[in-house]
Amino acid sequence: MDFATFFGIIVGFSLIIGAIFIGGAVDTFVNVPGVMIVLGGTMAATSINFPVTDINKAFRAAFYIFAGKSVTANDVVNTMVRIAEISRRDGLLALENIKTENSTLKKACQLIADNTDPETISQTLRIEIVALRNRHAVIQDVFKKMGTYAPSFGMIGTLIGLVQMLTMLDDPASIGPAMAVAILTTFYGALLATLLFLPIAGKLKSRTQQENLHLEIIFQGAQSILENNNPRVVYEKLSSFVPPAERKNERR
């Protein structure tokens, strides 16, 4: 679980809700029509902009940033070193039996076991990296667009509220409360965009960069194993992807 994401969202909403409670007028910040306009409008516009499959993938990816197991670059480096050890001890064919949930790593092991030409491995894994970037770019774009739509629909809700308020100018006492309700939709839109949609898009971008780095390590590791399956050489080459302070060789 990514506790930083969970912590940030919980603390952010808690501080805002706490400030509202301190103000003592909690009920004035609750407006069901405003929520309907902002959330409903944002989802409707997103559905128009993207296929349903892309929206589903985006929300599954958002769930993954909370529930997914965190894998560091150092973990991937050590995994490739262990694969080098297996290939050196048992031969390249032994890599066919490697068990892993990472489909790219599994593909790399299969290609190595088949003694595939290094150029073919290079092209195959490069395609994987490009495909990952393209898939993740769409997912990030879903939340970026939602971060744009939410404040816009907040303004639409405010305009609707202002029109309704102007119809009540003959009752000065109702203008203040009506104005408060009109502004609430802008508040909802800004809150969702600033504390939810855009930060999730940013987190997904960070995850993309991290996974791209992992694929690059796998790519370079596969080439190193084919060229020279000495685990020490493989480690020394791949450890360059990890900051010196974070390097940890499990073989030591």
Side-chain angles (χ1 to χ4, degrees):
M1 177 181 288
D2 189 330
F3 287 102
T5 304
F6 184 77
F7 174 81
I9 291 177
I10 293 298
V11 170
F13 277 104
S14 297
L15 289 174
I16 292 173
I17 293 173
I20 292 173
F21 268 98
I22 292 173
V26 179
D27 57 326
T28 60
F29 283 85
V30 178
N31 182 250
V32 176
V35 173
M36 292 170 58
I37 291 171
V38 174
L39 279 181
T42 299
M43 292 308 302
T46 304
S47 298
I48 294 171
N49 200 99
F50 297 95
V52 175
T53 53
D54 287 345
I55 297 174
N56 288 336
K57 289 177 183 177
F59 279 97
R60 285 201 300 269
F63 173 77
Y64 174 74
I65 67 176
F66 290 100
K69 181 181 178 181
S70 178
V71 178
T72 67
N74 202 72
D75 293 333
V76 181
V77 169
N78 284 311
T79 297
M80 297 307 298
V81 172
R82 287 194 294 271
I83 291 173
E85 290 173 342
I86 293 171
S87 70
R88 191 175 194 185
R89 182 180 64 246
D90 303 325
L92 295 179
L93 285 175
L95 300 188
E96 288 184 331
N97 301 319
I98 294 291
K99 304 296 182 183
T100 176
E101 296 179 358
N102 188 315
S103 60
T104 304
L105 179 57
K106 181 65 177 178
K107 180 182 291 188
C109 289
Q110 185 64 55
L111 291 171
I112 296 171
D114 293 339
N115 201 23
T116 306
D117 179 75
E119 183 62 26
T120 301
I121 293 179
S122 174
Q123 292 176 356
T124 302
L125 296 184
R126 284 298 179 193
I127 290 172
E128 287 280 350
I129 292 174
V130 172
L132 178 137
R133 289 175 179 169
N134 292 338
R135 289 195 306 270
H136 285 210
V138 173
I139 291 172
Q140 294 166 30
D141 198 34
V142 169
F143 284 100
K144 287 179 182 178
K145 288 292 193 298
M146 292 177 72
T148 301
Y149 296 146
S152 298
F153 277 99
M155 287 301 300
I156 290 173
T158 296
L159 292 175
I160 293 173
L162 289 175
V163 170
Q164 294 173 339
M165 183 191 71
L166 291 174
T167 63
M168 298 184 294
L169 288 179
D170 55 340
D171 182 10
S174 66
I175 294 178
M179 176 65 79
V181 172
I183 295 175
L184 272 180
T185 53
T186 297
F187 168 71
Y188 293 152
L191 178 64
L192 289 174
T194 307
L195 198 54
L196 199 62
F197 299 143
L198 294 180
I200 288 177
K203 177 67 75 170
L204 289 172
K205 181 179 180 180
S206 175
R207 282 296 179 91
T208 298
Q209 294 172 339
Q210 185 182 52
E211 290 188 32
N212 184 77
L213 175 61
H214 293 173
L215 291 184
E216 191 67 39
I217 293 172
I218 292 172
F219 164 65
Q220 295 294 339
Q223 285 193 321
S224 296
I225 291 171
L226 275 177
E227 294 169 0
N228 181 353
N229 63 353
N230 185 325
R232 167 57 63 183
V233 174
V234 173
Y235 174 78
E236 293 300 334
K237 180 177 181 180
L238 299 184
S239 63
S240 299
F241 287 99
V242 184
E246 298 176 16
R247 294 174 189 172
K248 183 178 180 182
N249 187 354
E250 294 181 355
R251 298 178 66 249
R252 290 178 179 174

